[in-house]
Amino acid sequence: MKQICVVGAGYVGLVTGVAFADLGNQVICLDIDEDKIETLNQGETPIYEPGLKEMLQRNVLAGRLIFTTSYAQALKDAEFVFIAVGTPSGADGEAELKYVRMAAESIAENMNHPLIIINKSTVPVGTGDWVANIIEKHQDEPIPFWVVSNPEFLREGSAIHDFMSPDRVVLGSLHPEAAERVASLHRPLRTIIQITDLRTAEMIKYASNAFLATRISFINEIATICEELGADVKEVAVGMGYDKRIGPHFLDAGIGFGGSCFPKDVRALEHMALIHGAHPQLLRAVLDINRHQRRQTIVKLRALLGGLDERKIGILGLAFKPNTDDMREAPAVDIAHQLLREGAVVQAYDPVAMAEAPHILPDVRLVDNAYEAAENVDALMVVTEWNEFRHLNMVRIKENMAGDVLIDGRNIYNPDRMTSLGFRYAGVGRSPKHGNGG
Ligand code: NAD
């Protein structure tokens, strides 16, 4: 059993804390957000993540997991301190490090014994050294500490599973003994542990996310070409995926990527490259294609409806992807704003993001289910591929609608079937093979 403190109880920090407690460690999660800590102390989770609440309650009950806003309390017995605070995009696309700075300063001011400080936030290459400097400067008296980079690769929606069964754990440090001690925390996960230097570990995270984003933009560019040439991108992706050198993952054409990681991490890597004199032309194209996908959805809708002013549009799915309530940089947010700007009336439904949605989309009417989202609309758009949308009664959906336009932004329906039900269907990179409705 190790004593672990996790700073930042968001999607990454909370999952990390809960999972380490479940592995038998003594964990204290710290956040500066008092409401969040209050919610956690009541046994509730401030975010939606499958399996998280049950695991949290089990570990609180077992006395292995507590929550606090006090750095002094959190660091008192800690051997390991994970930093898992946000690193949002700054004005020029750079990763904003103010929360990491604040966390490092608070750790320095409150530590009273040697610590291993592990950075889990996604941070620009060189941040590990910078954190070490901050800590040195803010300590009242010199107390030894070691900085380790441990980038996180979990996905929202399957975060517990991803944490417990990772493809690999990456650890970077200039101090092999510190990295080895952090490795020992991860041994129960029975996975590959790659130990490297700080900067390389930090870069592995950016390169991984940029590569996944590139695959998505690649298939989206192929989708645009498929639309022009009459091929079906979904089948193209299947055929490509059989090739072991390519593999089937991250080849789903659609409205493009969103969320709190891919867009900001590609932007941050582009920014890092630019300020160091490199020319990140591929990364630029990846972001450009991603923006294009969102714009094209509106272009298709506008063309099918002959304009958007006073048109009523239903949106299915607001979260940036299924199985999460996270709406950060969600395509649905951009799309809804654009529809509203062009004079449309918008109603929307999401299975779990409905608590978050009113703050982000106050002018969108939120309804209780997918059938209500279709009620009296001229067009219905699928923006997030929640499983429940795959199994809707599309006859009933069509009957509820005033119009007949179906924009399938995630290619979850069969174009021919939708056309035969009377929809004018527009997917991404595919159209009905027998008579084109869209
Ligand atoms: P988040 O916004 O959900 O959580 C961050 C938490 O940190 C918030 O609760 C905030 O109140 C807290 N915080 C901010 N400053 C603090 C401070 N000084 N002291 C204590 N707490 C503080 O963010 P997230 O999605 O968990 O992301 C955290 C980091 O992990 C980011 O760098 C992100 O890029 C990276 N990451 C995220 C994911 C993901 O899927 N969300 C996956 C891999 C990596």
Side-chain angles (χ1 to χ4, degrees):
M1 185 192 73
K2 306 281 190 214
Q3 301 276 350
I4 296 172
C5 162
V6 182
V7 175
Y11 286 88
V12 167
L14 189 56
V15 169
T16 301
V18 169
F20 272 131
D22 211 56
L23 291 171
N25 299 291
Q26 199 63 43
V27 178
I28 181 158
C29 288
L30 174 143
D31 205 289
I32 46 171
D33 183 335
E34 288 179 5
D35 292 343
K36 207 169 249 189
I37 293 302
E38 170 83 31
T39 305
L40 288 164
N41 275 328
Q42 286 165 5
E44 297 297 324
T45 48
I47 52 167
Y48 173 82
E49 187 59 49
L52 181 62
K53 189 168 163 180
E54 298 73 15
M55 195 182 264
L56 179 145
Q57 290 177 344
R58 185 165 77 228
N59 283 286
V60 169
L61 217 61
R64 288 191 293 265
L65 179 62
I66 56 172
F67 305 98
T68 184
T69 53
S70 156
Y71 271 92
Q73 184 193 356
L75 296 181
K76 196 162 82 53
D77 299 316
E79 299 164 64
F80 301 90
V81 181
F82 284 87
I83 299 179
V85 298
T87 47
S89 274
D92 295 325
E94 78 281 12
E96 175 69 77
L97 289 176
K98 66 178 175 209
Y99 302 114
V100 177
R101 174 194 288 278
M102 277 164 58
E105 287 174 1
S106 306
I107 292 168
E109 284 156 12
N110 288 280
M111 67 190 280
N112 55 16
H113 59 271
L115 285 177
I116 297 187
I117 297 163
I118 308 133
N119 185 38
K120 226 177 207 330
S121 299
T122 304
V123 290
V125 176
T127 303
D129 304 327
W130 177 79
V131 163
N133 262 329
I134 292 177
I135 292 178
E136 254 166 32
K137 273 198 204 129
H138 283 79
Q139 285 180 331
D140 286 342
E141 57 187 88
I143 304 172
F145 68 92
W146 302 270
V147 174
V148 176
S149 164
N150 169 218
E152 181 52 60
F153 301 98
L154 63 74
R155 297 162 297 176
E156 288 175 24
S158 54
I160 295 273
H161 167 271
D162 292 351
F163 189 93
M164 290 301 203
S165 311
D167 292 339
R168 78 304 206 185
V169 168
V170 173
L171 300 175
S173 185
L174 301 175
H175 310 284
E177 280 159 32
E180 197 39 58
R181 283 181 63 196
V182 182
S184 71
L185 280 183
H186 292 87
R187 290 261 145 69
L189 303 178
R190 296 171 186 277
T191 190
I192 296 161
I193 299 179
Q194 181 188 6
I195 298 185
T196 180
D197 62 272
L198 259 179
R199 285 169 178 252
T200 304
E202 288 164 345
M203 182 53 105
I204 287 171
K205 173 64 189 176
Y206 279 108
S208 301
N209 271 5
F211 185 72
L212 294 171
T214 302
R215 281 180 69 107
I216 296 173
S217 281
F218 176 84
I219 200 67
N220 280 333
E221 181 145 294
I222 297 294
T224 304
I225 304 170
C226 282
E227 280 178 18
E228 297 302 324
L229 300 179
D232 183 328
V233 74
K234 207 158 166 159
E235 290 180 32
V236 170
V238 170
M240 288 170 64
Y242 288 135
D243 188 325
K244 291 194 182 63
R245 295 167 302 176
I246 297 173
H249 304 295
F250 283 81
L251 288 179
D252 292 316
I255 291 177
F257 56 80
S260 65
C261 290
F262 284 2
K264 95 170 163 64
D265 292 349
V266 180
R267 281 196 298 265
L269 184 55
E270 181 197 14
H271 184 266
M272 247 182 276
L274 279 175
I275 59 171
H276 289 94
H279 180 36
Q281 37 197 324
L282 180 59
L283 300 179
R284 279 188 179 161
V286 167
L287 292 168
D288 197 28
I289 293 167
N290 202 48
R291 282 189 290 268
H292 175 83
Q293 292 309 106
R294 296 182 191 193
R295 278 197 305 268
Q296 266 317 99
T297 313
I298 303 281
V299 168
K300 282 180 191 166
L301 186 62
R302 206 188 283 126
L304 283 163
L305 291 177
L308 291 171
D309 195 25
E310 292 189 15
R311 297 300 193 151
K312 195 166 174 184
I313 315 293
I315 292 182
L316 293 183
L318 295 172
F320 85 91
K321 67 172 184 176
N323 296 323
T324 182
D325 57 351
D326 196 344
M327 287 179 62
R328 289 178 283 185
E329 300 212 33
V333 175
D334 261 6
I335 287 171
H337 280 145
Q338 185 59 28
L339 294 174
L340 292 167
R341 265 197 297 274
E342 295 196 33
V345 177
V346 183
Q347 57 192 35
Y349 165 71
D350 187 281
V352 301
M354 299 305 265
E356 188 66 3
H359 310 292
I360 300 173
L361 294 170
D363 297 325
V364 169
R365 182 171 163 250
L366 300 169
V367 297
D368 289 337
N369 59 58
Y371 297 101
E372 264 191 60
E375 230 159 63
N376 292 322
V377 296
D378 297 296
L380 188 65
M381 309 176 78
V382 177
V383 179
T384 314
E385 66 278 33
W386 284 92
N387 262 340
E388 69 170 72
F389 300 154
R390 296 176 197 271
H391 304 295
L392 294 173
N393 177 343
M394 294 307 284
V395 173
R396 190 174 151 201
I397 289 279
K398 175 77 179 42
E399 281 167 3
N400 280 6
M401 291 172 61
D404 58 3
V405 170
L406 177 62
I407 302 280
D408 182 1
R410 298 296 180 183
N411 286 345
I412 62 173
Y413 302 122
N414 179 306
D416 284 319
R417 173 150 192 275
M418 293 304 117
T419 306
S420 71
L421 291 178
F423 287 106
R424 283 191 291 152
Y425 173 90
V428 180
R430 61 205 293 251
S431 6
K433 291 196 175 60
H434 311 289
N436 195 337

